[in-house]
Short mmCIF file of all heavy atoms in Angstrom, two decimals:
data_model
loop_
_atom_site.label_atom_id
_atom_site.label_comp_id
_atom_site.label_asym_id
_atom_site.label_seq_id
_atom_site.Cartn_x
_atom_site.Cartn_y
_atom_site.Cartn_z
N GLN A 648 114.03 -103.57 140.32
CA GLN A 648 113.13 -103.66 139.18
C GLN A 648 113.65 -102.94 137.90
O GLN A 648 113.52 -103.34 136.80
CB GLN A 648 111.74 -103.14 139.65
CG GLN A 648 110.73 -103.34 138.55
CD GLN A 648 110.45 -104.79 138.25
OE1 GLN A 648 110.50 -105.61 139.14
NE2 GLN A 648 110.32 -105.14 136.96
N GLN A 649 114.22 -101.74 138.16
CA GLN A 649 114.81 -101.01 137.01
C GLN A 649 115.94 -101.72 136.50
O GLN A 649 116.07 -101.77 135.17
CB GLN A 649 115.30 -99.59 137.66
CG GLN A 649 114.17 -98.71 137.99
CD GLN A 649 114.65 -97.43 138.67
OE1 GLN A 649 115.72 -97.25 139.02
NE2 GLN A 649 113.75 -96.39 138.69
N LEU A 650 116.81 -102.37 137.26
CA LEU A 650 117.93 -103.08 136.75
C LEU A 650 117.42 -104.34 135.81
O LEU A 650 117.99 -104.61 134.82
CB LEU A 650 118.84 -103.58 137.82
CG LEU A 650 119.67 -102.61 138.55
CD1 LEU A 650 120.31 -103.20 139.76
CD2 LEU A 650 120.79 -102.18 137.59
N LYS A 651 116.41 -104.91 136.35
CA LYS A 651 115.86 -106.06 135.59
C LYS A 651 115.29 -105.65 134.30
O LYS A 651 115.38 -106.30 133.23
CB LYS A 651 114.69 -106.86 136.44
CG LYS A 651 115.21 -107.60 137.62
CD LYS A 651 114.00 -108.19 138.36
CE LYS A 651 114.48 -109.04 139.55
NZ LYS A 651 113.30 -109.71 140.22
N SER A 652 114.57 -104.51 134.28
CA SER A 652 114.03 -103.91 133.06
C SER A 652 115.07 -103.66 132.08
O SER A 652 115.00 -103.92 130.82
CB SER A 652 113.18 -102.72 133.35
OG SER A 652 112.13 -103.03 134.19
N VAL A 653 116.12 -102.97 132.46
CA VAL A 653 117.27 -102.57 131.61
C VAL A 653 117.97 -103.87 130.99
O VAL A 653 118.21 -103.96 129.84
CB VAL A 653 118.30 -101.74 132.40
CG1 VAL A 653 119.50 -101.49 131.49
CG2 VAL A 653 117.65 -100.30 132.69
N ARG A 654 118.25 -104.84 131.86
CA ARG A 654 118.82 -106.05 131.41
C ARG A 654 117.97 -106.83 130.44
O ARG A 654 118.47 -107.41 129.43
CB ARG A 654 119.11 -107.01 132.65
CG ARG A 654 120.28 -106.49 133.49
CD ARG A 654 120.38 -107.11 134.79
NE ARG A 654 121.47 -106.60 135.57
CZ ARG A 654 121.68 -106.72 136.91
NH1 ARG A 654 120.75 -107.47 137.59
NH2 ARG A 654 122.67 -106.20 137.63
N TYR A 655 116.66 -106.85 130.79
CA TYR A 655 115.71 -107.57 129.86
C TYR A 655 115.72 -106.90 128.46
O TYR A 655 115.72 -107.55 127.39
CB TYR A 655 114.24 -107.62 130.37
CG TYR A 655 113.27 -108.15 129.44
CD1 TYR A 655 113.16 -109.52 129.23
CD2 TYR A 655 112.44 -107.24 128.77
CE1 TYR A 655 112.20 -110.03 128.34
CE2 TYR A 655 111.55 -107.82 127.90
CZ TYR A 655 111.40 -109.15 127.67
OH TYR A 655 110.46 -109.64 126.71
N GLU A 656 115.64 -105.54 128.46
CA GLU A 656 115.67 -104.82 127.23
C GLU A 656 116.93 -105.01 126.42
O GLU A 656 116.84 -105.24 125.21
CB GLU A 656 115.47 -103.28 127.46
CG GLU A 656 115.30 -102.44 126.20
CD GLU A 656 115.17 -100.99 126.63
OE1 GLU A 656 115.02 -100.65 127.85
OE2 GLU A 656 115.17 -100.19 125.64
N LYS A 657 118.07 -105.04 127.11
CA LYS A 657 119.37 -105.27 126.35
C LYS A 657 119.41 -106.66 125.72
O LYS A 657 119.87 -106.92 124.67
CB LYS A 657 120.46 -104.94 127.31
CG LYS A 657 120.74 -103.55 127.59
CD LYS A 657 121.99 -103.38 128.42
CE LYS A 657 122.26 -101.89 128.62
NZ LYS A 657 122.60 -101.12 127.35
N ALA A 658 118.88 -107.64 126.58
CA ALA A 658 118.96 -109.00 126.14
C ALA A 658 117.98 -109.21 124.94
O ALA A 658 118.40 -109.93 123.96
CB ALA A 658 118.54 -110.06 127.25
N LEU A 659 116.85 -108.62 125.04
CA LEU A 659 115.87 -108.69 123.81
C LEU A 659 116.50 -108.01 122.60
O LEU A 659 116.40 -108.64 121.53
CB LEU A 659 114.60 -107.99 124.21
CG LEU A 659 113.49 -107.98 123.22
CD1 LEU A 659 113.05 -109.43 122.96
CD2 LEU A 659 112.28 -107.16 123.74
N ASN A 660 117.01 -106.86 122.74
CA ASN A 660 117.61 -106.25 121.60
C ASN A 660 118.77 -106.92 120.96
O ASN A 660 118.87 -107.13 119.68
CB ASN A 660 118.05 -104.75 121.99
CG ASN A 660 116.93 -103.83 122.29
OD1 ASN A 660 115.75 -104.04 121.92
ND2 ASN A 660 117.25 -102.72 123.08
N ASP A 661 119.64 -107.52 121.78
CA ASP A 661 120.63 -108.29 121.27
C ASP A 661 120.22 -109.66 120.64
O ASP A 661 120.73 -110.07 119.58
CB ASP A 661 121.67 -108.74 122.43
CG ASP A 661 122.62 -107.57 122.73
OD1 ASP A 661 122.61 -106.52 122.05
OD2 ASP A 661 123.31 -107.69 123.77
N GLY A 662 119.10 -110.19 121.19
CA GLY A 662 118.53 -111.32 120.52
C GLY A 662 117.95 -111.06 119.21
O GLY A 662 118.16 -111.88 118.30
N ILE A 663 117.26 -109.92 119.06
CA ILE A 663 116.68 -109.54 117.77
C ILE A 663 117.80 -109.25 116.72
O ILE A 663 117.72 -109.71 115.60
CB ILE A 663 115.78 -108.30 117.98
CG1 ILE A 663 114.48 -108.64 118.82
CG2 ILE A 663 115.32 -107.82 116.68
CD1 ILE A 663 113.66 -107.46 119.20
N ALA A 664 118.79 -108.56 117.16
CA ALA A 664 119.86 -108.26 116.17
C ALA A 664 120.56 -109.52 115.78
O ALA A 664 120.88 -109.67 114.55
CB ALA A 664 120.86 -107.37 116.89
N THR A 665 120.84 -110.48 116.70
CA THR A 665 121.39 -111.70 116.32
C THR A 665 120.61 -112.48 115.44
O THR A 665 121.12 -113.14 114.36
CB THR A 665 121.64 -112.58 117.64
OG1 THR A 665 122.57 -111.81 118.53
CG2 THR A 665 122.38 -113.92 117.23
N GLY A 666 119.35 -112.50 115.62
CA GLY A 666 118.40 -113.22 114.68
C GLY A 666 118.30 -112.61 113.29
O GLY A 666 118.37 -113.38 112.36
N LEU A 667 118.42 -111.34 113.23
CA LEU A 667 118.35 -110.53 111.95
C LEU A 667 119.64 -110.90 111.14
O LEU A 667 119.63 -111.25 109.88
CB LEU A 667 118.27 -109.16 112.10
CG LEU A 667 116.92 -108.61 112.54
CD1 LEU A 667 116.85 -107.20 112.84
CD2 LEU A 667 115.78 -108.99 111.66
N PHE A 668 120.84 -110.92 111.82
CA PHE A 668 122.09 -111.24 111.16
C PHE A 668 122.06 -112.65 110.67
O PHE A 668 122.60 -113.01 109.58
CB PHE A 668 123.25 -111.02 112.11
CG PHE A 668 123.69 -109.62 112.25
CD1 PHE A 668 123.52 -108.88 113.39
CD2 PHE A 668 124.18 -108.94 111.14
CE1 PHE A 668 123.97 -107.53 113.46
CE2 PHE A 668 124.55 -107.58 111.24
CZ PHE A 668 124.49 -106.90 112.41
N LEU A 669 121.62 -113.70 111.48
CA LEU A 669 121.52 -115.02 111.09
C LEU A 669 120.61 -115.26 109.86
O LEU A 669 120.93 -115.97 108.95
CB LEU A 669 121.06 -115.88 112.27
CG LEU A 669 122.04 -116.06 113.41
CD1 LEU A 669 121.40 -116.88 114.54
CD2 LEU A 669 123.23 -116.89 112.96
N ILE A 670 119.50 -114.54 109.93
CA ILE A 670 118.53 -114.68 108.72
C ILE A 670 119.10 -114.03 107.55
O ILE A 670 119.05 -114.71 106.46
CB ILE A 670 117.15 -113.95 109.12
CG1 ILE A 670 116.41 -114.64 110.22
CG2 ILE A 670 116.30 -113.85 107.92
CD1 ILE A 670 115.13 -113.86 110.76
N GLY A 671 119.81 -112.97 107.65
CA GLY A 671 120.44 -112.45 106.51
C GLY A 671 121.57 -113.29 105.94
O GLY A 671 121.64 -113.57 104.67
N ALA A 672 122.27 -113.94 106.76
CA ALA A 672 123.34 -114.88 106.32
C ALA A 672 122.79 -116.11 105.67
O ALA A 672 123.30 -116.58 104.65
CB ALA A 672 124.23 -115.28 107.52
N ILE A 673 121.67 -116.64 106.25
CA ILE A 673 121.03 -117.75 105.64
C ILE A 673 120.47 -117.56 104.21
O ILE A 673 120.63 -118.24 103.30
CB ILE A 673 119.91 -118.36 106.63
CG1 ILE A 673 120.52 -118.78 107.84
CG2 ILE A 673 119.05 -119.38 105.90
CD1 ILE A 673 119.48 -119.22 108.98
N ILE A 674 119.79 -116.30 104.18
CA ILE A 674 119.21 -115.89 102.79
C ILE A 674 120.39 -115.81 101.73
O ILE A 674 120.24 -116.35 100.66
CB ILE A 674 118.39 -114.58 103.00
CG1 ILE A 674 117.15 -114.87 103.82
CG2 ILE A 674 118.01 -114.14 101.60
CD1 ILE A 674 116.40 -113.57 104.05
N LEU A 675 121.54 -115.20 102.15
CA LEU A 675 122.56 -115.10 101.15
C LEU A 675 123.11 -116.39 100.84
O LEU A 675 123.49 -116.59 99.66
CB LEU A 675 123.74 -114.14 101.80
CG LEU A 675 123.28 -112.67 101.99
CD1 LEU A 675 124.37 -111.96 102.67
CD2 LEU A 675 122.99 -112.03 100.65
N SER A 676 123.25 -117.33 101.87
CA SER A 676 123.87 -118.65 101.55
C SER A 676 122.81 -119.48 100.65
O SER A 676 123.34 -120.10 99.79
CB SER A 676 124.06 -119.36 102.83
OG SER A 676 124.94 -118.69 103.61
N LEU A 677 121.61 -119.33 100.88
CA LEU A 677 120.60 -120.03 99.88
C LEU A 677 120.71 -119.45 98.53
O LEU A 677 120.68 -120.21 97.52
CB LEU A 677 119.16 -119.78 100.47
CG LEU A 677 118.84 -120.65 101.77
CD1 LEU A 677 117.39 -120.28 102.24
CD2 LEU A 677 119.01 -122.12 101.51
#
């Protein structure tokens, strides 16, 4: 259960970071 929680947290953080970088790149391109 601890492993699952750590993996979920890392996946969530990476997903948020990826989304922010994509949004930033899209805004700059627009």
Side-chain angles (χ1 to χ4, degrees):
Q648 187 58 43
Q649 291 174 344
L650 285 172
K651 288 181 178 180
S652 299
V653 171
R654 289 166 180 163
Y655 173 77
E656 182 179 354
K657 287 184 177 295
L659 180 62
N660 292 338
D661 283 351
I663 293 174
T665 301
L667 291 175
F668 279 114
L669 287 174
I670 292 172
I673 291 172
I674 291 174
L675 292 174
S676 298
L677 289 174

